[in-house]
Structures are given as C-alpha cells and as structure tokens.
Amino acid sequence: MPLRLIFMGTPDFAVPTLLELVSHGHEVVAVYTRAPKPAGRGMKLQPTPVEQEARRLGIPVLTPTTLKTPEALEEFCAHNADAAVVVAYGMILPQAILDAPKLGCFNLHASLLPRWRGAAPINRAIMAGDAESGVMVMKMDVGLDTGDVAMAERLAITDAMTAADLHDALAPLGADLMVRAMGALARGGLQLTKQSEQGVTYAAKIEKAEARIDWQRPAREVLRHIHGLSPFPGAWCEIASDGEPARIKILRCEPARGAGAPGEVLDDHLTIACGDGAIRILELQREGKARMKAADFLRGTPLKPPARLG
C-alpha cells in the first residue's frame, strides 16, 4: 500500500529520495524545504533543489522559518500524513512535529551511525581516513541522529574519492534504501534497532579555518584532507606569484613517490612533498577562476623545484 507522506529536504542530496518515493507510488502531500536564498551574480532568490523538483512534480511546497509555533504544528498536522521522510532538511524538528505523523518521522543519514552524527558526515568520514561509509534510515527522536535504525547500506571509501564523489554515490543508494524502508513500513514489517552506545562520533560543521593544507602531515592524511573538502569549501595553500602569495584550492590528488621538505615541489608534474611521502596534484583552482587540470595550470603557471607551497 502506498503511504501518505510529508517530505522534508533541501539540497541536491535529497532530490533522488523524493523522486524515488513518488515513482514508487507514495503520495507526497507536501514538501517542506528551506526558504529561497539570494545567489548568483544578480543575487536573485534561488529556490532549493528540492523546491525546484517539487514544483516540477506539482507538489505543494512550504518554507517555514520555524516549526516550533502552534500555527506551524497545526499546518503540519493538517496534512494528515502517515509518515514524514526527512533528508538533509536543515531544521530541528521539535517533539510535537515528530509525534504528528501516525507512523513517525524517518531520516536518511549519510553515515554508519552512531559514527558521524551531525552536520557533515560525508566530509568527516573522508577526512578521518575511514575505510567505509554508508546510509541509514532511522526513526527520529529529539536527539542529534540518535534514533533507532531501520535499514543500512554500506559503501567502501577509496583514497581516490572526494566528498563530491561520495555524495553522488550515497544519494541514489539512500533513495533506494528509503523506498525499501517505506515499503516495509506500509506492510507493518519495519524492524527498528537501537543504536550502539559505543563508537559515537560527531561530524561537526566544516569551518573555513580548517581548510588550509598542513604539508607537515603524512601524505595520506593530506590527501584525505584535500578530498574531504572537495569541492567545498576546498582545501587551500599558497604559491608565490609575482612575488606575492596567491591562494589555490587543491581539489583532487593522488599518492606519489618522493620525499623532501614539507610543501616542496619535487618535479614539474606538481608532485608535492609532505611530512612523510608525497602527493601529486591532479585538479586545482586559482582564486576567482574555474577548476582546471594540473597540466593546464602548469602551462600558465610553471611550478618547478625548488618552488614551495605554503
């Protein structure tokens, strides 16, 4: 049986789940998302990716600034939903909202809970050197990603993966998982398991201050730091350009042979020494410019030994 659902989500990551729920016959009676924000050169109000998709599908869209008022609760309850599906919505759901749908509120989270509860699980898993990540469907409670888990899918993280790569792999995986969970919920067969109290970690929001590359660290840690912040906000370093330091973001790299002083350019292929070992830069971006391959960058900005990145 199809369910009557409220969908709550905001970024690109949430869109595949919305599409899968609709394509599998569930009745999405309302979409909650964040309000449009100014963006682009003209700073025009830009609706979220979820709002754009919902309007294309003809689903009513709501963008409340809070869910804590009696009016917000009344409006939410008026949808008479069986359940709510939440994917990267970006707002806290108070207890009254969590209790409103008959069968509860279910969240798709991009980590293997209880590891990486919180705001930036994809980035943190890569930056920490984790061997795997995944998606989980949990029944929400008022804690931060502390609800009972219904289903999970795992995915290996390779050293070649950036945050964008992992995001793009987990989004469809999560969409399929949520559809299966809602199918089991509709049949009355969804099993819930309490999260372990062991191995809890928190994925704090990424701060710009942590984006500078520390070449003193071992090569694999530098690589994972770079990939965990790619493409946003982008791990960065400085090069000397016309005698002045110029900032560049490094977006993709690979392990390389070589040794030298941390930050030292070891050859004319952008191999850079780290505290232990080296990496080779594959893609990068100058401030105010588009991202480019290392070979294209080197044509305009030759970097050879004994140059050094700061």
Side-chain angles (χ1 to χ4, degrees):
M1 281 181 58
L3 293 172
R4 185 176 172 89
L5 299 174
I6 293 170
F7 185 85
M8 311 176 83
T10 294
D12 287 323
F13 186 80
V15 170
T17 303
L18 174 61
L19 294 177
E20 282 294 292
L21 290 169
V22 171
S23 71
H24 280 75
H26 294 291
E27 184 186 3
V28 179
V29 295
V31 164
Y32 281 65
T33 188
R34 301 305 298 270
K37 290 184 177 180
R41 288 187 177 179
M43 294 302 284
K44 292 182 179 179
L45 288 177
Q46 184 73 19
T48 69
V50 165
E51 178 174 349
Q52 293 178 51
E53 205 58 42
R55 294 201 182 282
R56 186 185 70 80
L57 294 167
I59 302 170
V61 174
L62 297 97
T63 58
T65 56
T66 180
L67 295 171
K68 295 179 179 179
T69 64
E71 294 78 15
L73 177 61
E74 183 180 1
E75 187 173 42
F76 192 87
C77 291
H79 299 301
N80 195 31
D82 296 315
V85 170
V86 183
V87 187
Y89 178 40
M91 280 176 64
I92 300 296
L93 273 58
Q95 188 67 58
I97 293 287
L98 294 174
D99 292 340
K102 301 178 186 72
L103 301 175
C105 298
F106 294 85
N107 176 247
L108 179 69
H109 188 71
S111 83
L112 299 175
L113 295 166
R115 187 159 177 80
W116 303 127
R117 294 173 178 170
I122 290 175
N123 308 86
R124 296 295 177 191
I126 293 176
M127 292 168 74
D130 289 5
E132 64 177 355
S133 180
V135 280
M136 285 186 161
V137 172
M138 67 176 171
K139 187 172 184 181
M140 298 176 71
D141 59 21
V142 290
L144 178 64
D145 300 324
T146 54
D148 295 348
V149 172
M151 290 183 173
E153 285 285 354
R154 308 174 94 86
L155 184 75
I157 302 176
T158 70
D159 283 346
M161 275 185 170
T162 65
D165 297 332
L166 185 54
H167 168 285
D168 292 349
L170 291 178
L173 196 66
D176 177 70
L177 189 69
M178 183 60 80
V179 165
R180 285 191 276 134
M182 290 300 100
L185 184 67
R187 295 189 300 271
L190 191 66
Q191 302 291 319
L192 297 172
T193 304
K194 288 194 177 298
Q195 290 188 39
S196 171
E197 295 181 6
Q198 306 298 316
V200 175
T201 57
Y202 290 93
K205 184 179 176 182
I206 301 295
E207 301 292 341
K208 288 186 178 179
E210 61 186 308
R212 185 163 192 165
I213 298 167
D214 179 2
W215 297 108
Q216 303 278 349
R217 295 167 70 183
R220 186 170 184 269
E221 290 183 16
V222 171
L223 178 147
R224 284 296 196 112
H225 178 236
I226 288 168
H227 285 175
L229 298 178
S230 176
F232 184 83
W236 61 274
C237 62
E238 290 181 337
I239 61 171
S241 179
D242 298 326
E244 295 292 327
R247 183 178 294 195
I248 59 169
K249 290 182 179 180
I250 301 177
L251 301 174
R252 194 179 292 273
C253 57
E254 64 183 5
R257 294 180 180 274
E264 183 182 350
V265 178
L266 298 178
D267 58 24
D268 55 3
H269 299 293
L270 278 185
T271 300
I272 313 297
C274 301
D276 178 24
I279 62 161
R280 179 172 292 112
I281 299 171
L282 301 177
E283 288 184 54
L284 67 166
Q285 184 176 16
R286 295 197 71 143
E287 234 175 340
K289 304 290 185 181
R291 66 189 294 163
M292 63 180 72
K293 301 290 186 185
D296 297 327
F297 173 83
L298 287 169
R299 275 194 280 274
T301 312
L303 268 184
K304 298 181 178 181
R308 195 160 178 177
L309 304 185

